[in-house]
Amino acid sequence: MTLRLYNTLTNREEDFTPLDPDRKQVLFYSCGPTVYDYAHIGNFRSFLNADVLRRTLELLGYDVRHVMNITDVGHMTDDDIADGGGEDKMEVAARRIAQAKQDGTLPADTEIDPGDPFAIADFYADAFLKDARQLGLKIAFDQQSNPDIMPRPTKYIREMISHIETLIKKNHAYVAEDGVVYFDVQSFPEYGRLSGNTPDQIRSGQGGRVDEATQALKRHPADFMLWKPDPKHLMRWESPWGEGYPGWHLECSVMAGSLLGKETNGVIDIHSGGEDNIFPHHECEIAQTCGASDEALFARFWFHTRFLIVEGEKMSKSKGNFFTVRDVLGKGATPAALRLELIKTHYRSNANFTFQGLTDSQRQIDRWKKLESWLSKHADAKLDGPGPLVVALPAFKQALTSDLNIAGAIGALSSAAGMYSINADPPESASGNTTYADELEALQEMNSVLGVLDLEWEQAAAGAGEDVAIIESKIADRNLARDNKDWTTADRIRDELLELNIAIKDGSEGTTWKKIVK
């Protein structure tokens, strides 16, 4: 099967083939987190969709070399400005931690020296990796044996300086009067191809957060910073242009080239990120990578995930709907349910995260888990012909090859799983050449992409979330009682739920519940 994938660079779906079709190797770079705080579930939607793409490529027989950065310097708060305005996010983290320490509100498990940005980065990087492993990101498990595949920019300062020197030599960059090194967008006619933001459009829309004095030092308002001398910056290094720090955009170009592009002059197959990365971050990456390499392309395919909203609203701390992974797990959700909830909406559509949806995802996983156990128990039993899951596997793959149609893939699995009645042993009269082991293998092959049946549940800190765990447990017990036609037990559990102010409703998709507000 050939994967059809939407390419942001060309604004259309295209057949995917790697740079070297004979080797079937895919060079894949993903923009990862900036480790100044815990990553939220909107961040993880992007990371998980990249994981699904990687798993799909592997299902299709490709060898994927996947790299994801962990940004620990240079990412500014006003990152929608190509020049990177505001403050370095690591300095924001240092100030936030110092204030919390002074107020006595710093949690015991975040005892960090606010004056040590490397310690801050290490703490939040470790937290991210723990969250990523809980949600089944393959690259986070690979990182345990090969840390280089999740690089830190602070380890690549020498390579960044060399890259800047190359850009200056090729007249794509210049040193302004204040010592800042800028990329000259007018030297790269393709600037704006990815996002549609041409230099002239940027000129007319420039202003506000970029002061006039800074703009006056640049050749063009769209020129973006590659290196900034700043002897007072919290994290700084020596360079030919003075002690300072690199631009955020430069980091990914250098790390992708160093870890993936050595044999291809910097060209890679796929680059992923959230849609907010398209401009300025990825646009600037293309300019400075191609400017140094003289290649027509940096990444052949650009893969972007759209935004996540929560209960129909934009995620915001002020609205109380801003959640990290540990927040959601702390409310009693399992990592598997959170993973499925974040991947089940197509990556090019905005996703609406809801707690009812999380409950529905858990119910679906529970059905698949029960089927997996039943198939394992009866693995040696024979069927008269190919089973429903074996039959569904090609449709599952076909859906994924259609620009990662995850809903279609899940639908193929769920339809096949729904053909089973697992409350009884299989018929003994079957005498075909296939067994339920073949069905189990097909289920596990589908799960190799979904990644939900093999996640361990590492329960987060208890608290308000205990109520959700208790409710889900009681509903599961009630459903089992109903399956066994034990109506007395089922009614008793329903009454117990009513005492907890929980109303339940049985439907074709299973049992749903809601809190009774009095």
Side-chain angles (χ1 to χ4, degrees):
M1 294 183 180
T2 300
L3 173 63
R4 293 280 294 176
L5 194 63
Y6 186 86
N7 188 354
T8 308
L9 187 65
T10 59
N11 291 315
R12 64 174 183 266
E13 286 185 21
E14 300 175 6
D15 287 348
F16 174 80
T17 54
L19 278 163
D20 187 347
D22 294 333
R23 291 178 63 187
K24 295 208 75 174
Q25 186 177 76
V26 177
L27 306 178
F28 185 6
Y29 186 89
S30 294
C31 275
T34 298
V35 284
Y36 74 110
D37 205 342
Y38 296 110
H40 58 68
I41 57 175
N43 300 140
F44 267 100
R45 183 178 186 232
S46 176
F47 306 147
L48 285 168
N49 276 316
D51 185 67
V52 168
L53 175 56
R54 170 190 169 164
R55 288 166 177 258
T56 297
L57 289 164
E58 290 174 340
L59 180 67
L60 297 175
Y62 290 103
D63 171 28
V64 182
R65 290 179 58 192
H66 193 192
V67 170
M68 175 188 282
N69 65 293
I70 295 180
T71 294
D72 57 0
V73 66
H75 189 174
M76 313 304 282
T77 52
D78 291 343
D79 57 10
D80 58 332
I81 298 176
D83 202 21
E87 298 178 87
D88 190 308
K89 291 187 176 184
M90 294 306 300
E91 296 201 349
V92 173
R95 190 169 61 251
R96 183 188 72 242
I97 292 167
Q99 186 63 53
K101 194 169 186 178
Q102 180 179 331
D103 297 341
T105 58
L106 189 68
D109 64 347
T110 54
E111 187 60 39
I112 315 168
D113 178 2
D116 185 351
F118 292 95
I120 295 170
D122 286 343
F123 177 85
Y124 287 115
D126 289 344
F128 169 77
L129 289 168
K130 179 179 179 181
D131 291 345
R133 288 169 191 146
Q134 282 194 277
L135 295 186
L137 263 72
K138 293 190 74 172
I139 193 170
F141 290 103
D142 295 342
Q143 184 270 349
Q144 292 176 309
S145 58
N146 185 9
D148 290 344
I149 63 173
M150 299 191 79
R152 308 276 188 94
T154 51
K155 305 294 185 183
Y156 285 81
I157 299 299
R158 184 180 62 183
E159 290 84 350
M160 291 184 211
I161 290 172
S162 177
H163 195 100
I164 295 171
E165 289 175 330
T166 299
L167 290 172
I168 292 174
K169 183 178 179 180
K170 294 187 175 185
N171 296 317
H172 286 298
Y174 60 93
V175 183
E177 290 183 13
D178 59 353
V180 177
V181 185
Y182 291 103
F183 185 92
D184 183 356
V185 297
Q186 295 176 100
S187 73
F188 187 71
E190 288 289 294
Y191 190 80
R193 179 184 173 192
L194 182 72
S195 64
N197 288 312
T198 66
D200 286 343
Q201 289 172 323
I202 297 169
R203 180 194 295 276
S204 63
Q206 195 71 49
R209 289 166 290 170
V210 181
D211 63 88
E212 293 182 5
T214 298
Q215 290 290 41
L217 295 172
K218 299 198 292 185
R219 295 177 181 174
H220 189 281
D223 292 351
F224 56 91
M225 185 264 286
L226 298 172
W227 186 273
K228 184 173 184 177
D230 186 352
K232 295 182 180 179
H233 198 266
L234 192 59
M235 304 172 82
R236 57 191 182 273
W237 296 264
E238 289 292 342
S239 82
W241 315 284
E243 190 179 38
Y245 62 95
W248 172 43
H249 314 305
L250 180 66
E251 300 167 0
C252 290
S253 292
V254 169
M255 291 185 291
S258 298
L259 295 170
L260 294 175
K262 286 186 176 180
E263 298 177 5
T264 58
N265 199 28
V267 183
I268 62 174
D269 289 299
I270 303 172
H271 195 314
S272 75
E275 68 173 328
D276 55 326
N277 290 144
I278 296 174
F279 186 85
H281 188 45
H282 289 165
E283 193 74 77
C284 295
E285 281 188 47
I286 292 171
Q288 63 205 5
T289 303
C290 295
S293 69
D294 296 323
E295 294 285 347
L297 295 172
F298 170 23
R300 297 168 60 247
F301 281 78
W302 289 84
F303 177 89
H304 292 102
T305 294
R306 297 202 67 185
F307 291 121
L308 180 78
I309 58 176
V310 176
E311 302 287 355
E313 294 187 299
K314 184 177 180 180
M315 192 160 50
S316 166
K317 289 183 178 180
S318 63
K319 293 179 180 177
N321 66 349
F322 182 96
F323 299 111
T324 64
V325 169
R326 54 203 59 215
D327 289 334
V328 177
L329 300 187
K331 293 180 180 294
T334 66
L338 179 54
R339 177 184 172 95
L340 185 59
E341 179 66 10
L342 291 175
I343 67 172
K344 69 184 184 184
T345 300
H346 192 265
Y347 74 93
R348 285 200 294 118
S349 298
N350 287 334
N352 183 26
F353 175 89
T354 68
F355 282 94
Q356 181 59 58
L358 197 63
T359 299
D360 295 341
S361 291
Q362 183 63 59
R363 186 176 298 110
Q364 197 161 39
I365 293 166
D366 289 343
R367 288 197 290 265
W368 296 339
K369 286 288 288 184
K370 289 176 183 177
L371 176 58
E372 182 183 41
S373 297
W374 188 88
L375 292 171
S376 180
K377 178 180 178 182
H378 301 290
D380 295 332
K382 293 184 176 181
L383 293 90
D384 286 324
L389 291 165
V390 169
V391 171
L393 182 57
F396 179 91
K397 291 181 178 180
Q398 190 66 53
L400 289 173
T401 60
S402 181
D403 194 30
L404 297 193
N405 178 4
I406 193 74
I410 291 172
L413 169 55
S414 294
S415 295
M419 299 177 70
Y420 274 96
S421 176
I422 60 176
N423 296 317
D425 291 339
E428 297 180 359
S429 58
S431 57
N433 294 324
T434 59
T435 67
Y436 287 102
D438 299 312
E439 287 287 271
L440 179 61
E441 184 178 344
L443 175 61
Q444 291 172 341
E445 195 167 352
M446 293 187 234
N447 181 62
S448 71
V449 175
L450 300 178
V452 295
L453 298 183
D454 45 5
L455 288 184
E456 296 181 5
W457 182 0
E458 186 176 335
Q459 179 63 50
E466 286 184 333
D467 291 341
V468 177
I470 291 170
I471 291 164
E472 293 294 341
S473 177
K474 286 183 177 292
I475 289 175
D477 290 343
R478 178 177 175 272
N479 287 338
L480 181 61
R482 282 164 56 84
D483 290 342
N484 294 330
K485 301 189 185 304
D486 183 356
W487 309 118
T488 300
T489 299
D491 291 343
R492 175 179 56 78
I493 295 174
R494 180 197 60 200
D495 293 340
E496 290 174 357
L497 288 166
L498 285 172
E499 290 177 5
L500 295 172
N501 296 323
I502 300 299
I504 59 176
K505 180 180 180 180
D506 299 311
S508 59
E509 295 299 315
T511 304
T512 58
W513 62 272
K514 65 179 181 179
K515 192 86 172 178
I516 301 172
V517 180
K518 294 186 175 181

